[in-house]
């Protein structure tokens, strides 16, 4: 009996009460072939959704968990809640000590999910 080609798990991530969907795909039947999962799977799925989206093709499964925040919100949360990221932002001159909302700049010619640049103005 073959395991399913695609599976996923919704895990708690970031802001309390929210989840992120982690996808897993089998890549072959050969021994010692690792499945495609996690960040790699998410990047390839996002690229396929953007690439094929213009042709009206969407995955036949839900890409995100029902309560999954947008990519911009997840990045903003991590930048303002992870001490190492906050320190890196300060060193790079991203954000301000006064602190305001995070602003995401997206390319309007692409899907709203395609983030071109994130400018953080979070509480650092």
């Amino acid at each position: 009996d073959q395991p399913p080609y695609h599976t996923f798990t919704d895990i708690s991530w970031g802001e309390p009460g929210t989840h992120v969907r982690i996808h897993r795909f089998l890549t072959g039947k050969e021994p010692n072939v690792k499945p495609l999962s996690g960040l790699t799977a998410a990047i390839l799925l996002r690229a396929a959704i953007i690439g094929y989206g213009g042709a009206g093709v969407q995955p036949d499964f839900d890409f995100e968990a029902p309560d999954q925040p947008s990519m911009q919100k997840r990045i903003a949360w991590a930048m303002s809640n992870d001490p190492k990221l906050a320190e890196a932002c300060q060193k790079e001159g991203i954000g301000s000590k006064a602190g305001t909302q995070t602003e995401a700049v997206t390319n309007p010619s692409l899907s709203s999910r395609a983030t071109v640049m994130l400018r953080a103005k979070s509480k650092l």
Side-chain angles (χ1 to χ4, degrees), residues 5 11 16 25 35-36 44 55 67 71 88 97 100 102 104 106 111 122:
Y5 171 71
I11 62 170
F25 296 91
L36 181 70
L44 293 173
D67 59 349
M71 178 71 71
K97 289 186 180 181
T100 60
T102 297
T106 59
S111 163
S122 58

Side-chain angles (χ1 to χ4, degrees), residues 2-121:
Q2 294 284 338
Y5 171 71
H6 171 250
T7 58
F8 65 86
T9 304
D10 292 346
I11 62 170
S12 294
W13 190 286
E15 247 180 286
T18 63
H19 295 83
V20 172
R21 182 157 289 171
I22 305 296
H23 296 273
R24 179 183 170 121
F25 296 91
L26 293 180
T27 55
K29 297 177 185 175
E30 302 83 20
N32 300 322
V33 174
K34 292 183 179 181
L36 181 70
S37 63
L39 180 60
T40 303
I43 291 169
L44 293 173
L45 277 170
R46 189 169 300 278
I49 289 169
I50 292 167
Y52 288 109
V57 178
Q58 293 294 315
D60 60 356
F61 52 85
D62 290 329
F63 175 62
E64 298 176 335
D67 59 349
Q68 183 167 323
S70 69
M71 178 71 71
Q72 293 89 344
K73 287 183 181 179
R74 293 192 323 263
I75 292 170
W77 187 90
M79 290 174 68
S80 62
N81 288 279
D82 184 300
K84 289 182 181 181
L85 288 176
E87 180 183 350
C89 288
Q90 281 183 322
K91 285 181 181 179
E92 293 296 323
I94 300 171
S96 66
K97 289 186 180 181
T100 60
Q101 294 291 326
T102 297
E103 178 183 343
V105 179
T106 59
N107 182 339
S109 67
L110 298 174
S111 163
S112 63
R113 297 177 181 152
T115 301
V116 176
M117 177 177 44
L118 179 73
R119 184 174 58 227
K121 298 177 182 174

